[in-house]
Amino acid sequence: MSTMLDSPTHTMLVLEPDAVVRSTVASVVRELGLAQVQQASSVPLGTQVLTETAVDALVLSLADTDAALELLTRLRAGEFPSRADIPVVVLASACDGPLALRLKQLEVRRLLLTPFKIRDVVQTLEALAPEPASNPST
């Protein structure tokens, strides 16, 4: 089965301030051939990447919760070259009811609470595949 990210033309942005987590996720994505990876260590840098580049998926840390949620709101509003409905995976240290509701409203595909296993990240990223199409397209 082919995934949305199999093509080397697909790009994923990993926006995570923790260098170890960011580089680990990026390395796994590259090693598995899931996508080309852009990395950003802060919301301002991630915003710059999203302003300049269309990405096909986003792994977003909520380390800076308000700024990250504003960035995701802007993405969903179509303010960047990326499709507004790209898959988004959120990484967070905790999640209360209001935050869970907000993430649902912003159509977050999956929330991974730290500490998480890299296997969980891999399974999540592999699951970003759309339903198989009846005819191939490029």
Side-chain angles (χ1 to χ4, degrees), residues 2-82:
S2 171
T3 69
M4 174 184 76
L5 302 175
D6 277 343
S7 167
T9 61
H10 284 91
T11 303
M12 175 183 297
L13 172 60
V14 178
L15 197 165
E16 166 61 59
D18 184 311
V20 173
V21 173
R22 186 177 64 250
S23 63
T24 301
V25 171
S27 294
V28 168
V29 169
R30 286 186 187 115
E31 286 176 23
L32 294 175
L34 297 175
Q36 295 178 9
V37 181
Q38 298 266 352
Q39 296 182 53
S41 60
S42 67
V43 172
L45 291 173
T47 301
Q48 182 177 347
V49 171
L50 288 173
T51 300
E52 298 170 355
T53 308
V55 298
D56 301 295
L58 172 64
V59 176
L60 177 65
S61 169
L62 292 187
D64 185 353
T65 305
D66 293 338
L69 290 175
E70 181 179 330
L71 175 67
L72 184 51
T73 300
R74 292 178 60 201
L75 173 71
R76 294 302 190 216
E79 293 185 27
F80 301 109
S82 303

Side-chain angles (χ1 to χ4, degrees), residues 86-123:
I86 64 169
V88 175
V89 175
V90 167
L91 310 176
S93 58
C95 183
D96 59 12
L99 178 57
L101 179 59
R102 184 70 182 127
L103 295 176
K104 184 176 180 178
Q105 291 168 341
L106 290 169
E107 300 176 29
V108 168
R109 280 283 175 96
R110 178 130 188 233
L111 168 65
L112 293 174
L113 295 176
T114 55
F116 50 81
K117 295 181 178 167
I118 196 65
R119 177 186 67 229
D120 295 334
V121 176
V122 170
Q123 289 173 342

